Amino acid sequence: MTTTVSAYAATSATDPLAKTTIERRDVGPHDVAFDIKFAGICHSDIHTAKAEWGTPSYPLVVGHEIAGVVTEVGSEVTKYKVGDHVGVGCMVNSCQNCENCAAGLEQYCLGTGMIGTYGATDRDGTITQGGYSQAIVVDEKFVLRIPDSIPLDKAAPLLCAGITLFSPLKHWNAGPGKEVAIVGLGGLGHMGVKLAHAMGAKVTVLSQSLKKMEDGLRLGADEYYATSDPDTFSKLAGKFDLILNTVSANLDLGQYLSLLKIDGTLVELGAPEHPLEVPFFPLAGGRRSISGSMIGGIPETQEMLDFCAEHGVTPEIEVIEASYVNEAWDRVLSSDVRYRFVIDTATI
């Protein structure tokens, strides 16, 4: 048996999202069912629906920043109960048996690979459908507890944008005495500023222009520079321990590597369209590193939510009705959002 719920789905790479219905499985022994209250809009949703990262199975319901309230739990579930505030991020399953899964790094699963919240083949053979919908059923191991002090609308973007920045900041030991640069002040970047500031690091925003400078400083940045100004790269040479690149454009990596201290790291978080070109001398000249990072595992995502609750860190959002989703996507593509759209799924 299944349950039918309303949703907004992509029916092709070119047509606008349209209202439809999808089926959710019955609650199994280890499942948690919850009514989705809010779903954040991530640029990844758009890339996937528009077949820019490969052709998905249509119709496809995207959305992997999901917050809601538990309506039913399976007979073996002990961690959650009806009425709890919960969330789901970018994955809903993995093999749960490999070395990485055992270490709480399910996003790097060596077995099935991480099973994405939408457009992936789940362990039962069905195609996963995401958060632009009224309800969802997920294995309890991939459900996160949302602290009571975080409103559900603001919690939703933490499940992707929040953990995408928290994980590398933690891994590379951002904190007091560390100089951290955030490249780009968008949905991801603004969370990087808030989180790095809350961790006690000195934070610099590197943005194409100074038009968001007032926002950046208000959100916790100590300094703000325009990368369109050539003087920026000479002025900041050798300054940073860690640079997190949140933009998906192909940057001149030599310029950014030159901003790192010896043993500094540049972490790629945005997925660029073309392969990265890495110049040897800026890399080797300071024993610098280029790395990448992808979301975080379930334990770390829960740690991030608890950290945000403790430090009062939440995203800047604009809540929209579901019928506005196509216009919202257009605005995301033109960078006309400060800083995350969140769908009120009661309007589906």
Side-chain angles (χ1 to χ4, degrees):
M1 295 214 17
T2 56
T3 302
T4 301
V5 300
S6 294
Y8 270 77
T11 54
S12 76
T14 53
D15 291 323
L17 301 187
K19 192 172 178 180
T20 187
T21 58
I22 57 172
E23 301 297 316
R24 295 299 193 189
R25 69 173 182 262
D26 271 0
V27 175
H30 296 283
D31 283 336
V32 173
F34 65 93
D35 283 344
I36 298 172
K37 300 300 183 183
F38 296 96
I41 293 177
C42 176
H43 206 145
S44 298
D45 301 343
I46 303 173
H47 285 304
T48 304
K50 293 185 177 296
E52 292 168 0
W53 291 346
T55 304
S57 296
Y58 297 107
L60 176 65
V61 177
V62 295
H64 58 205
E65 298 180 339
I66 306 170
V69 179
V70 175
T71 55
E72 185 181 352
V73 297
S75 57
E76 302 293 319
V77 174
T78 57
K79 191 175 176 183
Y80 300 104
K81 65 182 187 304
V82 172
D84 284 350
H85 287 190
V86 295
V88 166
C90 299
M91 53 186 169
V92 292
N93 222 322
S94 69
C95 82
Q96 302 183 27
N97 295 312
C98 71
E99 177 184 353
N100 289 352
C101 287
L105 298 170
E106 299 91 346
Q107 76 273 36
Y108 304 127
C109 174
L110 299 169
T112 57
M114 113 177 168
I115 296 172
T117 304
Y118 55 77
T121 303
D122 208 343
R123 293 170 71 179
D124 62 2
T126 59
I127 302 298
T128 57
Q129 303 287 354
Y132 295 13
S133 57
Q134 293 176 309
I136 195 168
V137 179
V138 179
D139 185 300
E140 63 175 325
K141 291 182 179 176
F142 291 82
V143 176
L144 287 309
R145 182 176 300 282
I146 295 173
D148 290 339
S149 63
I150 303 178
L152 289 177
D153 55 353
K154 289 181 176 287
L158 295 176
L159 280 309
C160 174
I163 187 58
T164 295
L165 274 297
F166 182 87
S167 185
L169 286 167
K170 183 189 171 199
H171 182 78
W172 277 280
N173 301 310
K178 291 293 183 77
E179 292 268 5
V180 176
I182 307 292
V183 182
L185 191 69
L188 293 179
H190 94 288
M191 284 307 308
V193 170
K194 288 191 170 198
L195 288 165
H197 175 75
M199 291 175 178
K202 186 174 180 184
V203 188
T204 299
V205 174
L206 301 175
S207 185
Q208 205 165 14
S209 73
L210 299 178
K211 68 180 182 181
K212 295 182 183 177
M213 184 172 181
E214 189 178 328
D215 275 6
L217 298 176
R218 174 177 61 84
L219 296 173
D222 298 285
E223 297 180 358
Y224 198 110
Y225 290 90
T227 55
S228 55
D229 179 355
D231 290 345
T232 291
F233 292 93
S234 54
K235 191 181 299 182
L236 302 180
K239 177 178 173 67
F240 300 108
D241 298 287
L242 178 65
I243 299 174
L244 303 184
N245 177 22
T246 70
V247 304
S248 53
N250 282 80
L251 302 180
D252 179 342
L253 292 186
Q255 282 189 309
Y256 287 85
L257 286 168
S258 73
L259 302 181
L260 290 169
K261 296 177 181 177
I262 188 169
D263 291 328
T265 303
L266 168 62
V267 184
E268 290 288 326
L269 301 173
E273 185 180 353
H274 304 293
L276 301 173
E277 289 191 13
V278 183
F280 175 77
F281 289 106
L283 185 71
R287 201 165 61 191
R288 298 166 175 130
S289 301
I290 291 182
S291 189
S293 180
M294 187 171 68
I295 57 169
I298 295 300
E300 190 173 57
T301 305
Q302 188 64 59
E303 181 186 350
M304 176 273 305
L305 287 167
D306 296 340
F307 177 91
C308 288
E310 182 183 343
H311 292 86
V313 174
T314 55
E316 308 289 301
I317 63 170
E318 181 177 334
V319 177
I320 62 166
E321 293 192 359
S323 59
Y324 187 73
V325 67
N326 291 298
E327 289 86 348
W329 276 23
D330 289 340
R331 286 178 57 189
V332 170
L333 293 174
S334 61
S335 299
D336 178 24
V337 53
R338 294 194 179 183
Y339 282 87
R340 206 63 156 183
F341 285 120
V342 175
I343 301 167
D344 177 354
T345 54
T347 62
I348 295 179

